Every structure is written in structure tokens, then in C-alpha cells.
Amino acid sequence: MHSDRAPLGLKIAAAAGLLFMHLPILLIFVYAFTTEDKSYQWPPPGLTLKWFGVTWERPDVWEALSLSLRVAAISTVIALILGTLCAAAVARTRFFGREAISLLVILPIALPGIITGISLRSAFNLGDIPFSFWTIVLGHATFCVVVVYNNAVARFRRTSGSLVEASMDLGANAFQTFRFVILPNISTALLAGGMLAFALSFDEVIVTTFTAGQQQTLPIWMLEELVRPRQRPVTNVVAMVVVIVTFLPILGAYYLTRGTETVAGQGK
């Protein structure tokens, strides 16, 4: 008799794999409540909520958080515009070198971050561009575009071109066709891509290191605090915030793209 239930050994292996991946994150959450401020003892000598208040009063944390949020927001907007336009061109038209262009678009996220960071830093130095807020944004936009592009191009390819033709035949102009036909079919893909791009930008470290100059985003602040700690539990509290801020967009993107295998006009 066939059973759909997984074997016990497979369940144990799956549980062990999940523990291996997520136990370190759980430890960060625990140490955010520890009463010890200089070392990591296990088990913690006691639990307290005071570090959340201490973190709230630290102006350097708020400055780093503000910078990270602004960079992520603007990088995501740039990625949504460029990624969508590029996806539309690649999915809807045929031209010489189309596949090469598609490869070049996704290359920044395929390359190691340190290569991208060194390349951007060299380009900024060559152009005599001083490091600033905008150099961080440009650095983050290079890989955020890829996330939006991948989501958008997949949705464009599943949307029938006959819908656009029918809209134009019925008298709609280009803007009306985009607003009432194309956008409703790709909106969830764009929203999911934007959420993933925001999450990637918010916790980016390597590229930021090469493009930030003296500025500190939240991940860079955390790295500095680990090297020269002032109050270790504060770093863990901030790490909790980073986990939550990056997890929620990823979770939202998952639910937005779940069950979207079919779109209007597919296969017709």
C-alpha cells in the first residue's frame, strides 16, 4: 500500500538541515535579551529587555537605519523602472544580440560581490566621482535591477501578445494598453521583484563597503560594532531588525507570486 507520508529518516534529515540553517539566527535573537554586555555565555546568565531601550536611544543606529532605508527605497525605484523596461524589450521584441543583452543584465548578480564592488570603485575613481549617498544607490541598483528583470521577464513571456494586439485594435493608445492590459498582468511580479530588491539592498555589505566612503549603512554599522564592540547586545537587537525587515518582503514576494503560473491570455 502506497503512503504519501515521508519516511522517518527523511523527516529527521530535513529537521536537522533546518536546525543547521536557522539555529544561528535563533541564537542572535536570544542574545538580544541577555543581561551580559561583554561576552556571549551559554546559557545566558539572565534575560532583560533593557537593550531595546538602549538601542532606541543610540543616534548612530538611527542614522545608519535611515541611510539603509533611503538607499534601499531609491535603488528599488530605479530597479523597477530599468528592470521593467529591459524585460519588456527582451520579452516582446526580437533583435540581434537579444540573448547577449539578457546575459549582461543578469551578470552583476552572478558575479561575486567583491568583483562588482571593485569595478564600481574603479569606475568612480576613474570618473573622479566622490563617494556619497548616490554612489551607494548606484552600486545597489546594479544588482537590484536583476531581481526585478527576472520577475518581469518571466511574467511578460507568460502573457499573450494577442492581448496587446486586441487592445490596440479596439482603439486603445499605448498608455491605455499599458495601464489596463499589461500592468494588471505584471503588477504582482513587479511588486514581488521590488520587495526582493529592497530586501537585498537593505542588508548588502560587500558592494556597500566599496562605494560608501565614510558613510555607514546599517549592515556596515553592525560590522564595525562586531570589530570594535561597545555594547554587544545592541548589535544583536539591530540584527533582529535586519532579519525582520528582510524577511517580511521575501515572505510577501513568495505569497504574491504563488499561484501565478497562469495569466490572462496565456496560450491563446
Side-chain angles (χ1 to χ4, degrees):
M1 179 178 176
H2 176 73
S3 175
D4 292 332
R5 303 181 68 178
L8 179 61
L10 184 59
K11 291 180 179 178
I12 294 174
L18 289 173
L19 281 174
F20 176 78
M21 290 189 295
H22 298 296
L23 188 57
I25 298 176
L26 295 177
L27 289 175
I28 288 175
F29 279 59
V30 171
Y31 282 125
F33 297 91
T34 183
T35 55
E36 177 60 51
D37 65 344
K38 294 182 180 179
S39 64
Y40 293 127
Q41 300 180 25
W42 186 261
L47 299 177
T48 180
L49 292 172
K50 80 168 188 176
W51 298 114
F52 290 84
V54 172
T55 304
W56 185 271
E57 298 296 331
R58 289 272 297 265
D60 54 333
V61 174
W62 285 106
E63 291 172 6
L65 176 61
S66 173
L67 179 60
S68 286
L69 289 174
R70 286 184 287 122
V71 167
I74 296 177
S75 299
T76 300
V77 171
I78 294 173
L80 282 170
I81 296 171
L82 297 182
T84 303
L85 291 175
C86 188
V90 169
R92 289 299 181 197
T93 57
R94 294 185 177 276
F95 54 89
F96 177 76
R98 185 179 67 165
E99 297 305 320
I101 289 177
S102 181
L103 177 62
L104 289 174
V105 171
I106 65 174
L107 192 59
I109 208 168
L111 290 173
I114 191 169
I115 301 299
T116 303
I118 292 173
S119 301
L120 288 167
R121 189 177 184 90
S122 299
F124 293 147
N125 287 333
L126 189 63
D128 200 23
I129 301 173
F131 295 111
S132 65
F133 170 82
W134 292 106
T135 57
I136 305 176
V137 169
L138 290 175
H140 286 204
T142 58
F143 56 82
C144 288
V145 167
V146 182
V147 179
V148 175
Y149 169 81
N150 283 337
N151 279 269
V153 77
R155 186 62 59 84
F156 272 121
R157 286 171 175 167
R158 293 204 304 269
T159 304
S160 175
S162 60
L163 290 173
V164 177
E165 295 173 3
S167 175
M168 303 296 280
D169 288 342
L170 292 171
N173 58 35
F175 176 76
Q176 290 172 322
T177 300
F178 174 79
R179 179 182 175 186
F180 296 110
V181 178
I182 298 176
L183 189 58
N185 279 290
I186 68 170
S187 58
T188 53
L190 295 183
L191 188 55
M195 286 179 160
L196 291 173
F198 183 91
L200 282 175
S201 174
F202 186 79
D203 65 3
E204 165 59 35
V205 175
I206 300 176
V207 173
T208 311
T209 302
F210 287 93
T211 58
Q214 300 300 314
Q215 301 177 97
Q216 284 189 330
T217 59
L218 201 60
I220 297 298
W221 177 91
M222 292 172 60
L223 192 61
E224 291 289 329
E225 285 292 309
L226 289 174
V227 175
R228 293 185 293 272
R230 292 167 55 187
Q231 296 166 314
R232 289 184 185 273
V234 170
T235 308
N236 289 285
V237 172
V238 174
M240 284 182 58
V241 174
V242 173
V243 170
I244 293 170
V245 170
T246 54
F247 174 74
L248 291 179
I250 293 171
L251 183 64
Y254 167 75
Y255 279 106
L256 283 171
T257 54
R258 187 177 62 171
T260 57
E261 290 80 8
T262 58
V263 292
Q266 183 179 7
K268 298 181 181 180

